[in-house]
Amino acid sequence: MKNLLVCLALLLVCAAPSPAEAKAPPSAAEAARQVAALLDAGDCLTLQEMLPALRDSLPPPLALLSDALTAHHGGRFARSNEAIARLDEYAEELGPETLLGMRSLAIHNFRALDDYAGASRAIRALIGQLPDGAAEARRSLEAFDRWMSALAAWPATTLRRPAAETAIHAELRKVGRGEHLLVEAEANGCTEPFIFDTGCSGSNFLTLRAARRLGVRIVADSVPVTGMTTSYVRIGVADSLRIGELLVLHPTFLVAPSISDNGEEGLAEAVLGSDVIRAMGEVRIEARNGRIVLPAEPSPEPPSPNLGFDGGQYHLYCTHNGERLRLHFDTGNVKSTLSSRYYDRHRRAVRRAGRRTTSMQGGFGGTRELEVRILPHITLCCGARSVTLRDIAVTLRGKEMDAQRGNEDGSLGVDFLTACDAVVIDLGRMFVRTE
């Protein structure tokens, strides 16, 4: 998708008229070149920042396409779909492949809005537009439609909470090379520890055993989901899920026989995903104090967001020695890591400071052993505060694993939370603040 958009931008560069003068705002050609460079880098945050100054100079189809991408990145999913719907006005300039790619993005927007019926309609329309020979894409979309259509009549997940400040008990539990952050949730008269996981997108997650204990009803089967590998899951629903004084209405679940870091060791068999965490609004995570607090009134919105959204995953933008890093914000990750993409840019420094070894890294579907170098520490600047992470694994190889995660420089896990007195997050207003 990214390469296709870059090619499109470059074609529009060629089609743009040359500037009459060297002064004034950027020409259409220069504006399109800048957008192409940002698309090539996968840098939607900078595109979002620069777009107001570039918009009037951009060719109309590229301006509209940029609107769709930056709105998705900024968590404005309905606005992104409004822009995508208007792209048909420029079908000739954009071409069928770009339109197919953007209609695929619209499906992610519908899903993020919990509009399962809209997602199902968009999937079926996209299937009808696939070219001959796209059998694998067709099968994947048909499987996704089984998920969305099974939930099409199911109400969107909502959350009820007291008007006053509300605190939820949380617990750090040692696992492997790090820790999980757990909260307890109750359904069907049964209490279950859930991993508090901003990296679990699209639904919550349960093992089959936990689903039975919580009284979850299965509404679809044999849906492929990709994590470390592609595995088949069931889709489940429940009327409600209680977390302390919070009541989650109409939660949905992916249900599988097991999850990573689970089983004989008796660890958590349930994951609370980013949909519910986003519905909480602003939350203050005091991991070392064992509590998560929802304030009575949200704090003032920061001047600019530092979270981005990409196909279901949130990314936090931090800086290290003046360099902006795009890091997967994954509180279900037991330990922060840096990717082989980061290593490629900093080989000499990592080789000099890092101890070479191997590390088991995993997620849904299994684990994988990777060659890494362990950095003694790295200090990240997140807003006004610096956060120092220790014993950080930098992946040397395993680019196929990094490729699943796009242009990421690494992943922030629970040790990021415990390195701070508090971490305030709001997945709706798209910011993280460290204290």
Side-chain angles (χ1 to χ4, degrees), residues 57 86 127 136 186 189 201 233 255-256 292 295 298 300 314 317 354 426 434:
S57 299
R86 291 180 54 204
I127 289 173
E136 184 176 347
E186 183 270 331
S201 66
V233 302
V255 180
I292 296 172
Y314 291 89
Y317 292 87
D426 191 323
T434 56

Side-chain angles (χ1 to χ4, degrees), residues 43-336:
D43 190 353
C44 274
L45 181 63
T46 303
L47 179 58
Q48 189 172 301
E49 293 167 345
M50 294 180 61
L51 191 57
L54 295 176
R55 183 189 309 280
D56 290 344
S57 299
L58 287 172
L62 191 54
L64 192 58
L65 187 142
S66 298
D67 285 339
L69 291 170
T70 55
H72 174 81
H73 177 266
R76 302 183 303 277
F77 307 116
R79 187 177 302 179
S80 177
N81 271 354
E82 290 171 5
I84 291 170
R86 291 180 54 204
L87 289 175
D88 285 338
E89 301 171 21
Y90 302 99
E92 184 175 344
E93 294 97 322
L94 296 173
E97 291 185 53
T98 299
L99 291 177
L100 284 176
M102 296 306 292
R103 286 166 183 159
S104 178
L105 185 68
I107 295 169
H108 287 289
N109 287 330
F110 281 121
R111 173 61 202 90
L113 292 165
D114 280 351
D115 184 353
Y116 306 111
S120 179
R121 289 192 300 271
I123 292 168
R124 294 177 186 185
L126 186 58
I127 289 173
Q129 296 161 358
L130 288 176
D132 295 338
E136 184 176 347
R138 186 180 304 275
R139 284 193 297 270
S140 177
L141 286 168
E142 288 171 347
F144 194 19
D145 187 42
R146 287 202 302 277
W147 177 2
M148 295 296 100
S149 60
L151 297 176
W154 191 248
T157 299
T158 56
L159 184 141
R160 292 180 184 169
R161 52 155 294 179
E165 178 178 286
T166 304
I168 305 166
H169 174 71
E171 174 189 349
L172 289 169
R173 186 177 297 179
K174 178 70 177 174
V175 51
R177 59 197 173 89
E179 294 174 300
H180 275 148
L181 181 67
L182 303 175
V183 296
E184 288 195 339
E186 183 270 331
N188 196 40
C190 178
T191 299
E192 192 77 29
F194 277 68
I195 300 168
F196 189 87
D197 188 358
T198 56
C200 178
S201 66
S203 192
N204 308 293
F205 200 97
L206 295 172
T207 66
L208 187 56
R209 292 185 297 274
R212 288 169 177 161
R213 291 194 293 268
L214 296 172
V216 169
R217 304 188 296 280
I218 303 300
V219 295
D221 203 346
S222 302
V223 174
V225 173
T226 299
M228 296 295 293
T229 60
T230 297
S231 303
Y232 289 89
V233 302
R234 304 176 189 185
I235 307 301
V237 298
D239 294 326
S240 64
L241 186 71
R242 183 169 290 280
I243 308 166
E245 295 184 82
L246 309 182
L247 184 64
V248 182
L249 298 174
H250 315 301
T252 67
F253 302 90
L254 302 181
V255 180
S258 64
I259 60 177
S260 181
D261 296 331
N262 170 67
E264 295 180 1
E265 299 174 350
L267 298 174
E269 298 187 46
V271 178
L272 191 72
S274 60
D275 286 9
V276 172
I277 297 171
R278 183 170 66 234
M280 291 180 180
E282 181 176 317
V283 299
R284 176 186 175 92
I285 304 169
E286 300 175 6
R288 297 199 305 261
N289 290 336
R291 67 180 200 152
I292 296 172
V293 181
L294 282 67
E297 296 291 337
S299 61
E301 193 159 344
S304 59
N306 59 1
L307 274 180
F309 186 86
D310 183 7
Q313 297 299 324
Y314 291 89
H315 295 89
L316 178 60
Y317 292 87
C318 302
T319 59
H320 171 61
N321 292 337
E323 177 189 22
R324 180 184 276 176
L325 302 181
R326 181 176 186 258
L327 301 165
H328 185 205
F329 186 60
D330 182 5
T331 60
N333 186 359
V334 300
K335 190 84 168 69
S336 301

